[in-house]
Amino acid sequence: MSSRRPFKNPHAEAEQFRRRAALGFLAVALALVGLGAWYFRLQVLQHADYSTRSEANRIRPRPVVPARGMIYDRQGRLLAENLPAFRLDVTPDKAGDLDALLSELGQVIALSEDEIAHFRKERKSGRGFLPVTLKLRLSDEEMAAFAVNRWRFPGVELQPYLTRHYPYGDLFSHVIGYVGRVDEDDLAKLGDGGAALSHIGKTGIERSYEEMLRGQVGYEQIETNVQGRALRTVGRVPARPGADLRLSIDAELQRAAVAAFGELEGTAVAMDPRTGEILALVSLPGFDPNLFVNGISHDDYRALMDNPSRPQFNRAVLGGVAPGSTLKPFLALAGLDSGIRKPEDRTLSTGMFHLPGTSRGWGDSHRGGHGWTDARKSIADSVNTYYYQLALDMGIGRIQEYLGRYGFGQPSGIDLAGENTGILPSPAWKLKNRKERWYPGDTVNISIGQGDWKVTPLQMVRGTGALADGGRLRRPHLVDARRDRFDAPWAPLPQPAPGQISDSPADLQVVGEGMVMTVHGPGGTARAIGTGIPYRIAGKTGTAQVVSRRGTAAVDPRSLPMHLRHRALFIGYAPADDPQIAVAVAVEGGGYGGSTAAPIARAIFDAWLLGKLPAGMEPIDGVDAPGCAGEAADCPPATAPSTVPAPAATASAGASSTPPSSVADVETPSAASAQRSPALASDRNPSANSLGNWARLHNAVPVRAASGVSAAEAPAASPRVADPASGPRVPPPPDAEDDR
């Protein structure tokens, strides 16, 4: 076999080389084209995207939280303010080992268990690159200690912020409410824009007007170095501060109302019947809202929750009581408006009322009876029998129709969240809730405000204001105006047009005359508070039973434990001939309305109309109230004749004379009292809108009662520790012990 090597084929090898070279060149060309296309995509098509990313490595946005709007009373007194403070924020991604960090940091700054627990909870629910607040409102000493040791704690920063503060503490706890730290539920509602917020309104005005008070979050563009430290601000989207709010509440009147309660618990609401403005709203006991702003401690929260009086419960808005005899003016008006009764129609009260064919009796406040009773006397002397028969004649359907028209069984519309609608009893309600049918005895019970009734003090004062203002049922409201800048004028908030509860001025006048006789008539259940005042009050007492009677015998509330005693009620307005204030008072465990609730209302009337504060209470502004309530040289002498005629007496058991004042005459407020004072100190006008305005206009002074002490000279300076015996406590009239 031959071993010769084959000859090479140069032509074949050259062709093969050319093919390989062409393929290589093509591959290189394609690679260059692909690379060029890739660069074109990066540099041209995606230039904006990558430029933004590059800028983001250098520029970091930082949210700017706006200043929360402040809240003032009607005279410009600051009720909710913002104070500068510093908090400690931790960015988890930069802090490293959080357990070691907290341990070391706790040696520099005192950290409570509640603060650490809250931080861990927020850390789990948040993003690692977002700062989480560890401690709010550091003291000067704590800030100095951290500044010295700052280098030891990467990812931990001091951040300035504005913290909410309530100067009056528990005085407005149920009106203003409070702000609290943002939680998971709040973040879900706020969305991404809420991540920058640390606090949000939780209750009261702070909650109802959260969006208005919060403002709009802004942003700063901060240039940083490679370590992430801020170098300079290169751009800014300014934050928009929240709007300031001016309330219709008067802080001085609020203090007077609290003082009038002494150590009693309950609620009182005062309203201007001409506008629906709430002048005072008291729910006792209260609490300090400042405890909640930066996180309430476990001990403080447990103390509030374990308090059997439930300080956090807003009795004026969320609570409800049976109206008792305070319902009678409204049922009397319903009887007149429906044509079932005429003012002169009379019913015989013998002391006990029986349904045909039944042995159970319904008693009157006088066990011997009141004799023949017309509409006016039925209100003044609180004659139950008149209303027992009236309710049966009207029927439950008509009662429900008219009392619903007066605002019962529906929210008043006040600008506070969670208002109770109350209960307007009806056959449908009883069948649904009690699975029982309606009986005639139920109609008798509800005629005097007992049974399944439940009304709120707001509903009571709203209806009373309608009686005072010619039948106009207005929406009660707390916020009167807003302004978007400190130097901007106040812009009034629009209110809905009032409804009309009655088209008969004559019927309203009859009811008003009966309410005047309640205070100034010889048999009135509240006549003890009508002594020695230069104005006339139209009112009605009431007693809501907590426990039922034993058989046909009434229960003396003084023999019961405090929590089982009857609730004392009073509604009224003054002056009767020119109503400027309507009041509803409910005292828990107070016994009887005439002896407990009525004096509290009298103290509120005196404070607003005469400028007379309870004994020992200094004015907030450091000057005497504009009204002539003391012995100043420019006040008229105490012996000056009263501008109010003597109260009219009842001519007989079946007829009553007409007081000189008429509810129907009051259509519009006087020009002076209708003015509204701006909240700025520079343009306030206290003389036109303050305590004692009525007294100044009428040159009147309070006349002392026969005992030598005015009923307005209530408890001592401290409203919650005053001796109730020193307050305006008037014993019940001997012939009106039970004003149900």
Side-chain angles (χ1 to χ4, degrees), residues 381-398:
D381 296 5
S382 200
V383 184
N384 291 348
T385 298
Y386 181 91
Y387 294 95
Y388 297 150
Q389 190 60 57
L390 173 60
L392 291 174
D393 293 343
M394 290 185 64
I396 184 59
R398 190 178 282 113

Side-chain angles (χ1 to χ4, degrees), residues 94-361:
K94 298 180 180 180
D97 187 348
L98 291 180
D99 292 334
L101 173 72
L102 294 175
S103 177
E104 295 181 15
L105 191 59
Q107 299 176 6
V108 178
I109 296 176
L111 299 175
S112 68
E113 294 181 0
D114 291 340
E115 290 170 337
I116 295 176
H118 187 272
F119 169 78
R120 293 187 184 278
K121 179 181 177 182
E122 293 296 316
R123 166 67 187 92
K124 292 180 180 179
S125 61
R127 301 175 181 177
F129 61 88
L130 293 177
V132 180
T133 298
L134 174 61
K135 185 179 181 64
L136 289 165
R137 202 163 188 179
L138 275 70
S139 65
D140 293 341
E141 293 77 10
E142 290 173 328
M143 287 190 292
F146 176 77
V148 173
N149 295 273
R150 182 176 181 178
W151 61 274
R152 297 170 50 192
F153 306 108
V156 183
E157 297 290 341
L158 275 177
Q159 294 293 342
Y161 76 106
L162 294 174
T163 185
R164 202 65 157 172
H165 179 251
Y166 305 101
Y168 290 91
D170 62 353
L171 185 63
F172 293 98
S173 56
H174 294 291
V175 176
I176 305 299
Y178 59 85
V179 298
R181 298 173 70 169
V182 173
D183 56 27
E184 295 180 21
D185 294 337
D186 297 325
L187 287 175
K189 296 177 183 178
L190 294 171
D192 294 338
L197 300 174
S198 60
H199 291 75
I200 192 173
K202 298 291 187 178
T203 64
I205 293 294
E206 295 278 25
R207 175 182 175 183
S208 298
Y209 290 85
E210 166 62 26
E211 293 186 7
M212 195 176 296
L213 289 166
R214 182 200 312 154
Q216 186 173 347
V217 176
Y219 290 92
E220 288 181 337
Q221 291 180 313
I222 306 298
E223 184 179 13
T224 61
N225 58 17
V226 292
Q227 286 81 28
R229 293 188 177 275
L231 300 177
R232 62 191 179 99
T233 301
V234 297
R236 179 190 298 269
V237 177
R240 187 180 67 190
D244 295 337
L245 299 180
R246 184 181 67 193
L247 306 188
S248 57
I249 287 274
D250 188 282
E252 202 79 271
L253 184 65
Q254 184 88 351
R255 293 172 68 232
V258 171
F261 272 85
E263 293 185 336
L264 297 173
E265 297 177 357
T267 180
V269 183
M271 184 184 80
D272 188 334
R274 305 161 298 181
T275 62
E277 295 176 348
I278 297 297
L279 306 176
L281 190 151
V282 171
S283 178
L284 298 173
F287 62 95
D288 186 0
N290 292 300
L291 295 173
F292 290 87
V293 173
N294 291 317
I296 187 170
S297 69
H298 178 78
D299 293 339
D300 288 335
Y301 185 73
R302 180 50 53 192
L304 288 175
M305 297 302 294
D306 291 343
N307 189 331
S309 296
R310 299 188 296 170
Q312 290 182 263
F313 184 71
N314 190 340
R315 289 159 166 81
V317 178
L318 306 177
V321 299
S325 290
T326 59
L327 183 71
K328 290 176 180 176
F330 301 101
L331 191 57
L333 179 62
L336 296 172
D337 280 349
S338 64
I340 301 298
R341 288 289 186 274
K342 295 183 175 60
E344 62 274 9
D345 289 344
R346 299 190 297 170
T347 300
L348 179 62
S349 168
T350 61
M352 191 64 64
F353 178 84
H354 294 273
L355 285 171
T358 63
S359 59
R360 185 193 189 280

Side-chain angles (χ1 to χ4, degrees), residues 9 12 56 112 115 238 320 323 351 363 366 377-378 416 455 523 526 569 590 606 615-616 629 669 722:
N9 188 345
S112 68
E115 290 170 337
H366 290 309
K377 182 181 176 182
S378 72
L416 291 176
V455 302
L569 307 170
D606 282 353

